[in-house]
Amino acid sequence: MRPDLILAGAGLANALIALALAEARPGTRILMLDRRPGPSEAHTWSFHDPDLRLSWHRRLSPAIRCRWQGQEVRFPDHARTLRAGYASLDGAGLAQLLAHTPGVTLRWDAGITALDATGATLGTERIEAPCVIDGRGAAPSRHLVTGFQKFVGIEFKMDAPHGVARPVIMDATVPQQDGYRFVYLLPFSPTRLLIEDTRYSDGAGLDEEALARAIADYAQGHGWSGHEVRRERGVLPIALAHDAAALWAEAQGGPVPVGMRAGLFHPVTGYSLPVAAQVADVVAAAGPTTTEVFAAVRAHALSRARDDRFLRLLNRMLFRGCPPGHRHRVLSRFYRLPEPLIERFYAGRLTRLDRLRIVTGKPPIPIRDALPCLREAPLLKESP
Ligand SMILES: Cc1cc2nc3c(=O)[nH]c(=O)nc-3n(C[C@H](O)[C@H](O)[C@H](O)COP(=O)(O)OP(=O)(O)OC[C@H]3O[C@@H](n4cnc5c(N)ncnc54)[C@H](O)[C@@H]3O)c2cc1C
C-alpha cells in the first residue's frame, strides 16, 4: 500500500517524527527505511529532564533504559552536583516503541540508493509518497564549519559495585589531551557502568584504541575491574559557523532534511535529541506534503540558527580563541554559573540575561583573543 510518508533512515530524528505524527494524525501510513539490519546497539541517547516538554517525557518513557535524579561535574578546582534529572534511551527501546506505534512500518536492511521529494529508490524498487523526509544522519556541508567532539564509550559489567550513584556528565580532573578532555560516566546499575572518554578537538581523527586504553586506565585508577559488554563511538560536529539559509537553499526541491544532516543539533554539546523533539512537533503540525513540511522545518531551522549564534560564538572562543590545553578553564567557569542558566543552556533556551551573564564578569578568554572570534562569516568564506 502506498505510504503517506517515507522516513529515510530509522535513526533518532525520524523515530521522533514517527512518534509525534502517529499521535497527531492517527491513520497516517508511515514507512521507515533503514539500511541497518536492526536497531543500533552502539547508541544510547541521553537527555537532561528540562530539555523536553512533558508530552515528550510521556511519549518516550517506554523506551527509557535508565533514569537518574541529579548529575555531577568535576573539575580540578571544583565539583558540583546539579539537581536536574537525566535519562537514557537506547536503540532497542526506541525500535520496540516504533514497532508498537500504529501506522508505522519499519523496514530494516532497506538501503536507499536514491532519494527525492517524491520517493525512495532501493536498487530496483521504487516507493513513492506525498511526503519524503531525509533523516539519514550527518552529511558534511560547506555551510557548516565545525570543531569536533570525539569519544569512545565502553559499557562494563563490573566484578563488584562501582559506587557511582548518578551520571557524571563531565569528569575533567583527568589529564588534558587533544583539546578539552573529560570522562563521562553513566551508572546503568550498581555493577553496569558506561565510561566514555571525550575530547573537544580541532581534528576529526579518532584513535579508538588510544581512547579505549585511556578508559581502561581510568577504570583501574578507580579500582574497578570487569568486562566490556558494549562499545559506542562518535565524532560529533561542534558548530563554529553556520549559514543555515544557504544550507536550506541547496536542499530546496528535494526531500526534507532533518537531524544531524540539517545542522539540527545543539552547537556546543552536539546533542540532538531535544532539537529532534522540537522538529518532530513542527512536522506533526505541518501539512501532509513534502513542500509543506519543507517550508515548516526550514522556518524552524532558520529561527534556531539565529538563536544559536551566541552558542557558535562560544564555540569559536573555545576552539579558536583558547589554546587547546586551556579549554577546560572555560568549561570549569561555566559550571559555576546558576543552575537554571545551565539547564536553559542545555535545552537551547538561553535568555538575553543568561548570555550577558556568561560573558560578563571575568571573561572566559582574554578580550584580545576573543575579538577575532566575533564574526562567523570569515570562517564560512574559508570553508572549501
Ligand atoms: C555514539 C553516539 C552517542 C550519542 N549520544 C547522544 C546523546 O546521548 N544525546 C543526544 O542528544 N545526542 C547524542 N548523539 C548525537 C546525535 O543525537 C546522534 O548522532 C543522533 O543519532 C543523530 O540523529 P539522526 O537522526 O540525525 O541520525 P542517526 O540517528 O544517525 O540516523 C540515521 C539513520 O539513517 C540510516 N541510513 C543512512 N544512510 C542510509 C541509506 N542510504 N539508506 C537507508 N538508511 C540509511 C542509518 O543507518 C541510521 O540508522 C550521539 C551520537 C553518537 C554517534
Side-chain angles (χ1 to χ4, degrees):
M1 202 188 295
R2 185 179 147 103
D4 300 310
L5 167 68
I6 294 174
L7 295 174
L12 183 68
N14 274 346
L16 300 200
I17 289 173
L19 294 176
L21 250 178
E23 200 175 296
R25 287 211 295 271
T28 307
R29 292 179 303 249
I30 302 169
L31 176 63
M32 304 184 78
L33 302 168
D34 202 290
R35 66 179 171 194
R36 280 184 288 123
S40 167
E41 266 242 324
H43 243 132
T44 45
W45 291 290
S46 303
F47 58 93
H48 307 267
D49 280 354
D51 289 354
L52 295 182
R53 290 185 185 183
L54 278 180
S55 57
W56 277 104
H57 280 280
R58 172 183 50 75
R59 232 170 253 151
L60 293 177
S61 101
I64 301 277
R65 177 176 172 197
C66 211
R67 215 180 252 297
W68 300 270
Q69 269 316 312
Q71 41 187 288
E72 289 174 31
V73 290
R74 300 174 185 165
F75 292 92
D77 54 347
H78 75 110
R80 187 170 179 191
T81 301
L82 301 161
R83 274 184 324 241
Y86 198 69
S88 282
L89 309 169
D90 61 13
L94 208 50
Q96 271 227 327
L97 186 54
L98 290 167
H100 291 103
T101 302
V104 176
T105 305
L106 204 170
R107 263 177 68 183
W108 298 112
D109 267 326
I112 296 166
T113 46
L115 192 71
D116 57 54
T118 58
T121 307
L122 298 84
T124 54
E125 186 186 4
R126 173 79 183 165
I127 309 169
E128 303 220 316
C131 184
V132 182
I133 296 183
D134 186 1
R136 286 175 296 168
S141 162
R142 66 199 165 94
H143 306 303
L144 183 61
V145 181
T146 68
F148 301 93
Q149 182 194 161
K150 306 180 299 197
F151 56 90
V152 172
I154 302 182
E155 187 175 328
F156 290 94
K157 167 106 181 63
M158 298 296 182
D159 300 330
H162 47 68
V164 179
R166 58 183 77 81
V168 179
I169 55 168
M170 271 183 193
D171 179 358
T173 59
V174 292
Q176 293 299 298
Q177 266 169 277
D178 196 9
Y180 172 51
R181 175 183 174 220
F182 63 91
V183 170
Y184 166 86
L185 302 174
L186 280 188
F188 286 115
S189 81
T191 51
R192 281 279 181 123
L193 184 66
L194 176 77
I195 308 180
E196 201 158 278
D197 193 308
T198 302
R199 321 268 164 102
Y200 269 55
S201 305
D202 300 313
L206 178 71
D207 184 346
E208 181 167 335
E209 279 324 301
L211 266 70
R213 277 196 302 278
I215 290 169
D217 290 346
Y218 184 89
Q220 199 182 25
H222 285 74
W224 297 323
S225 66
H227 64 272
E228 175 173 343
V229 287
R230 193 180 64 83
R231 193 181 277 211
E232 57 184 61
R233 59 195 65 70
V235 179
L236 301 183
I238 298 299
L240 305 181
H242 183 27
D243 184 348
L247 189 146
W248 282 86
E250 251 174 31
Q252 187 78 44
V256 188
V258 294
M260 300 297 277
R261 71 189 304 108
L264 289 164
F265 57 87
H266 190 292
V268 183
T269 65
Y271 274 30
S272 76
L273 198 150
V275 188
Q278 290 165 10
V279 171
D281 287 335
V282 169
V283 173
T289 63
T290 302
T291 313
E292 287 161 298
V293 175
F294 190 99
V297 178
R298 176 181 176 275
H300 178 80
L302 295 191
S303 142
R304 267 216 75 93
R306 269 192 303 277
D307 286 352
D308 285 348
R309 269 184 305 209
F310 175 75
L311 296 177
R312 295 195 295 275
L313 168 64
L314 291 184
N315 284 340
R316 292 196 295 281
M317 290 199 210
L318 191 65
F319 278 84
R320 301 288 161 102
C322 190
H326 289 184
R327 286 178 191 161
H328 67 286
R329 294 187 197 158
V330 178
L331 275 299
S332 172
R333 180 181 175 278
F334 174 78
Y335 280 101
R336 287 185 186 277
L337 290 168
E339 212 168 313
L341 183 156
I342 294 173
E343 289 173 9
R344 289 193 290 274
F345 164 82
Y346 280 128
R349 289 195 295 261
L350 285 176
T351 63
R352 276 196 186 165
L353 211 61
D354 292 336
R355 291 165 204 213
L356 210 63
R357 184 83 178 73
I358 290 172
V359 291
T360 50
K362 189 175 179 303
I365 61 172
I367 298 288
R368 68 165 191 282
D369 296 332
L371 285 177
C373 302
L374 290 180
R375 294 179 55 237
E376 61 181 318
L379 279 186
L380 289 162
K381 280 207 190 99
E382 287 164 22
S383 176

